Amino acid sequence: MKVLLYGGSFDPPHNGHLNNLRAAAARVRPDRIVVMPAGTSPFKRGTSASGALRLEMCGCFSALAEEGGFPALTVSGWEVQQAAQGKRNYTVLTLEMLASGSPGAELYLAIGSDMLLSFDGWYRWQDILRLARLVVTSRNVGDDPLLHEKAKQLDATGARILFAPVEALPMASSALRARLAAGERCENELPPLVRRVIQREGLYRETKGDEDRNDSETGKRACAQPPERSAL
């Protein structure tokens, strides 16, 4: 059985995330997909959503499961629960949890191109490559040569890092938060469910006195980066 993990801050999740996951799934053809929002967002309080709300917004990924031939998809709150218990988020620990729950399964980890470039700064990155194959989708047009050079540096065998062809959608949650704070609806970038939650909760409004946090391994700058890498 093949299991594909897609983790990130998802603060908020947007159509670029869905696009990349669709491409990664097409490349790997997994039997099951697990979408895992990070337990703690690294962004400023008041301009970020709680773990519970990001988990709710990640329900937008379920729409992919309605597409013909798309594999079963689960949105997991495991990292959110870990954070509620005061535990740090590390991708390798999530993979170990999945491996123990599905003995013998082939694990894959979908990441963006920016994450690959900083991957050797991740906590226990060698163990991540041992546990799972990386499935890299490009977030920027024309960055393939740099990505393939980095992949050779990380894995000389070429067996543990795969590339998923995708029409890159250059959008980022950070830019969307700024636009939302300015009063834009971002209808072209955000799925309907995400927009509804943002409107209902009044999310991403700037609050004075907020301080930056960077204690999530799967958050800042790329949807999956630890404090040591700072930050994806």
Side-chain angles (χ1 to χ4, degrees):
M1 182 175 70
K2 296 180 180 179
V3 179
L4 174 65
L5 171 66
Y6 188 40
S9 289
F10 302 127
D11 197 8
H14 52 67
N15 289 331
H17 291 130
L18 272 68
N19 185 57
N20 283 359
L21 179 55
R22 187 184 289 111
R27 175 67 176 83
V28 174
R29 300 191 180 279
D31 299 289
R32 183 164 67 97
I33 293 174
V34 179
V35 174
M36 184 79 67
T40 306
S41 174
F43 305 108
K44 292 194 299 183
R45 292 184 295 272
T47 58
S48 67
S50 68
L53 289 176
R54 288 182 292 106
L55 185 61
E56 181 181 357
M57 287 190 286
C58 281
C60 69
F61 286 99
S62 297
L64 294 176
E66 299 174 6
E67 299 179 2
F70 203 83
L73 184 148
T74 301
V75 178
S76 173
W78 186 77
E79 286 193 8
V80 171
Q81 295 166 2
Q82 292 293 102
Q85 298 171 17
K87 299 177 182 179
R88 299 280 293 275
N89 292 328
Y90 288 107
T91 300
V92 67
L93 300 182
T94 301
L95 287 169
E96 288 176 342
M97 179 275 293
L98 291 175
S100 65
S102 302
E106 296 179 49
L107 300 183
Y108 295 81
L109 174 64
I111 65 173
S113 56
D114 47 356
M115 289 186 274
L116 179 67
L117 296 177
S118 62
F119 184 73
D120 48 0
W122 289 29
Y123 177 66
R124 291 174 55 193
W125 68 269
Q126 295 96 333
D127 288 332
I128 294 176
L129 276 182
R130 176 181 56 80
L131 288 162
R133 291 180 174 87
L134 302 187
V135 187
V136 182
T137 54
S138 172
R139 301 180 71 179
N140 301 290
V141 176
D143 59 5
D144 276 359
L146 186 61
L147 291 177
H148 285 275
E149 180 60 32
K150 186 66 175 182
K152 290 179 182 178
Q153 294 174 13
L154 296 170
D155 174 34
T157 71
R160 307 300 296 177
I161 302 178
L162 312 176
F163 288 88
V166 63
E167 182 178 349
L169 297 180
M171 62 182 68
S173 295
S174 56
L176 293 176
R177 287 194 302 276
R179 290 173 55 190
L180 290 164
E184 295 188 44
R185 293 179 57 85
C186 301
E187 294 180 350
N188 293 328
E189 295 84 5
L190 298 176
L193 170 61
V194 176
R195 296 200 308 271
R196 288 196 298 271
V197 174
I198 289 173
Q199 184 175 15
R200 185 192 75 205
E201 301 293 333
L203 297 177
Y204 307 116
R205 296 174 180 173
E206 194 74 42
T207 302
K208 291 183 179 180
D210 287 337
E211 297 178 354
D212 282 319
R213 292 177 296 166
N214 189 21
D215 52 358
S216 169
E217 189 181 272
T218 52
K220 205 169 187 179
R221 253 192 284 173
C223 305
Q225 199 154 348
E228 297 91 304
R229 319 164 203 159
S230 256
L232 254 186

